[in-house]
Amino acid sequence: MRIRRSRRAAGAAAVALAVTAAVLAGCGRGGGAAGAGTGELKLAGAPVLTSTDQQRTATAGADQVFGLDLYRALAATHGDNNLVLSPSGLTTLLALVLPGARGSTAQELTAALHTELTPEQYAAATGELDRGARTGLDGKAALEQSDTLWAQQGLPVQQDYLAVLAGAFDAGVRTTDFAKDPEGARKAVNALVEQQTHGQVKDLFGPGAVQPSTLLALTDALYLKADWAQPFKPAQTGPREFHTLAGRTEQPPTMAQEGRLRYAAGSGGITGQPWQAVELPYASGHLAMDLLVPAQGGFDAFRRGLDQAQLQRITAGLADTEVDLTLPKFAFETDSNLNDPLVQLGMRTAFTPSADLTGIAGHDAPWRVRLTTVVQKARITVDEQGTVAAAGSGAVAGVSAAAPAATRTELHIDRPFLFLIRDTGTGLPLFLGQVTDPAAG
């Protein structure tokens, strides 16, 4: 699909993981030519891995649960700030790691991902969900996802592992020399991610993240640009009040439109807080952004009580309604180190010298491999024309029926809210986040 670039909406998310030898010196690795280099992209000859409908449905549901787990963990550290993350990007990255994990490392990773599938089945289902989200888009939407494995020159990566990556994600391996030129290798990895996200994600790995002891780096780059099915008219955009989570009242540029949208409202559930929700479809047909708006003063309780069951009840309760909607424009970036959140979610062993990733480099490798750094950087821009890299999550129980079609419902978003961009066919959560201050970059 040809990508239409626009200054009006641009954004992306990328996640990456670095794997290093547990022994940081004296590894005795094979070298290679001096300098990092980008290496030649090599794809293992492997058939495309497929999954059943039941496996894909289970995996999409598991991704929702994992995404909400991660959102709560990151919200606890980001506090009252704006936040955007990509559940799909991170689950895809971990699906690249899982086939190489063994023992308790694999068990903890499987539990954190809420899946009962084998590593190969989970990779196949994840790959098919990712491809399904990218199909059926027209010229007003673009969704691209790229996965890459970078390996130290001379590292004997297992062919069975490479075959899973190729069959599930069409992912190949590039070689570089982390040992001799870690800074050059870092720049090469970052440059490819920047290219894959059309310049939206820069410097994914910060200075010092790649060391001479690094053996592998895996990256997932996700880029979305989509126009609204019903764009907002710029002439109707103007300053309107927004009450931030910090208690300030600001007047950010706020869009407005009236029209028939899928809407729901309710109260109760775990939080007992009233809420409203509206879905803004993209012109692609099966991608949409859901906005979840708790009542003034109820945001903290709402996000703490959000779980998959409540999210599904909210989205299932959306129905066509005449809506008078106002929505502030927003654009911001979130840069997260995910080591601690993933440990909190149960991935403890993978970051320790006891990690077992022998499915990647083999039992006979002279180096014990463990994860050292997992990072994600996501960016979102929302304006009158559309969106890129939006993330949203939020839910409460007690969905009520939408207002009758003849009644116009008012939803003026003048307070903190959650957003979710998803594939409405499968429920796959592409991006998720919160807007607490639309004026904050």
Side-chain angles (χ1 to χ4, degrees):
M1 176 168 298
R2 188 174 180 178
I3 307 301
R4 297 191 301 115
R5 301 299 302 277
S6 170
R7 295 178 59 190
R8 289 185 268 183
V15 292
L17 169 152
V19 185
T20 72
V23 179
L24 300 183
C27 295
R29 293 179 298 185
T38 59
E40 179 185 357
L41 177 64
K42 297 181 180 179
L43 286 169
V48 175
L49 297 181
T50 60
S51 59
T52 66
D53 290 343
Q54 184 178 9
Q55 289 170 344
R56 288 191 297 275
T57 299
T59 299
D63 288 356
Q64 291 178 1
V65 178
F66 176 82
L68 293 172
D69 287 346
L70 183 63
Y71 165 73
R72 285 189 293 269
L74 290 178
T77 59
H78 285 267
D80 294 347
N81 297 316
N82 295 332
L83 171 64
V84 56
L85 61 115
S86 173
S88 173
L90 185 56
T91 55
T92 298
L93 180 70
L94 295 179
L96 297 174
V97 178
L98 183 57
R102 299 291 185 269
S104 60
T105 304
Q107 293 169 3
E108 292 173 358
L109 181 51
T110 297
L113 290 169
H114 299 279
T115 181
E116 297 180 355
L117 302 181
T118 68
E120 291 74 17
Q121 289 172 337
Y122 183 77
T126 299
E128 286 200 280
L129 285 171
D130 291 345
R131 288 191 295 274
R134 299 194 299 268
T135 60
L137 305 179
D138 57 26
K140 294 185 177 181
L143 180 62
E144 301 173 5
Q145 193 162 12
S146 304
D147 304 294
T148 308
L149 167 67
W150 295 77
Q152 168 65 32
Q153 293 172 0
L155 179 70
V157 182
Q158 297 295 290
Q159 288 302 308
D160 288 347
Y161 174 72
L162 293 177
V164 174
L165 267 57
F169 304 103
D170 195 27
V173 60
R174 293 175 181 266
T175 57
T176 189
D177 200 337
F178 297 111
K180 291 186 177 180
D181 188 5
E183 181 61 13
R186 182 184 74 88
K187 291 180 178 179
V189 174
N190 286 346
L192 183 60
V193 171
E194 182 174 345
Q195 175 186 337
Q196 291 167 336
T197 59
H198 297 263
Q200 296 303 309
V201 175
K202 304 177 188 295
D203 296 323
L204 178 61
F205 284 115
V210 176
Q211 296 291 322
S213 57
T214 297
L215 295 173
L216 298 165
L218 293 90
T219 63
D220 174 273
L222 181 63
Y223 174 84
L224 168 70
K225 183 184 184 304
D227 292 349
W228 302 122
Q230 182 178 332
F232 292 82
K233 295 180 180 179
Q236 295 182 358
T237 298
R240 291 179 173 86
E241 284 192 355
F242 188 95
H243 306 287
T244 71
L245 201 58
R248 299 186 304 275
T249 298
E250 299 175 345
Q251 291 201 341
T254 302
M255 307 176 292
Q257 69 170 236
E258 296 182 12
R260 197 166 184 79
L261 297 169
R262 284 163 50 80
Y263 170 88
S267 62
I270 293 176
T271 69
Q273 300 291 331
W275 51 266
Q276 294 172 279
V278 68
E279 184 171 280
L280 298 179
Y282 295 107
S284 62
H286 68 278
L287 301 180
M289 174 185 279
D290 296 315
L291 302 172
L292 311 177
V293 190
Q296 187 70 38
F299 183 79
D300 280 334
F302 185 94
R303 64 177 175 178
R304 285 197 303 267
L306 183 61
D307 62 16
Q308 184 201 24
Q310 294 179 15
L311 178 60
Q312 290 184 337
R313 291 181 66 182
I314 288 177
T315 56
L318 295 167
D320 287 349
T321 307
E322 291 294 328
V323 180
D324 174 6
L325 174 68
T326 65
L327 171 65
K329 298 169 63 173
F330 57 93
F332 58 87
E333 180 179 285
T334 300
D335 191 350
S336 302
N337 184 306
L338 300 177
N339 289 23
D340 288 344
L342 289 176
V343 170
Q344 292 174 23
L345 298 184
M347 284 180 55
R348 294 176 294 274
T349 306
F351 294 95
T352 72
S354 299
D356 188 347
L357 295 172
T358 52
I360 297 178
H363 290 278
D364 298 329
W367 323 289
R368 187 76 176 184
V369 178
R370 65 181 174 92
L371 306 189
T372 57
T373 303
V374 180
V375 296
Q376 182 178 81
K377 182 178 286 188
R379 181 176 182 175
I380 180 170
T381 300
V382 171
D383 65 9
E384 292 89 350
Q385 188 66 26
T387 298
V388 177
S393 171
V396 172
V399 178
S400 65
T407 303
R408 186 178 66 179
T409 296
E410 182 179 282
L411 176 51
H412 290 178
I413 302 180
D414 59 356
R415 54 199 183 275
F417 61 95
L418 303 173
F419 62 92
L420 168 68
I421 293 181
R422 64 187 176 104
D423 182 332
T424 57
T426 64
L428 182 68
L430 299 173
F431 294 93
L432 171 66
Q434 65 185 34
V435 178
T436 60
D437 183 354

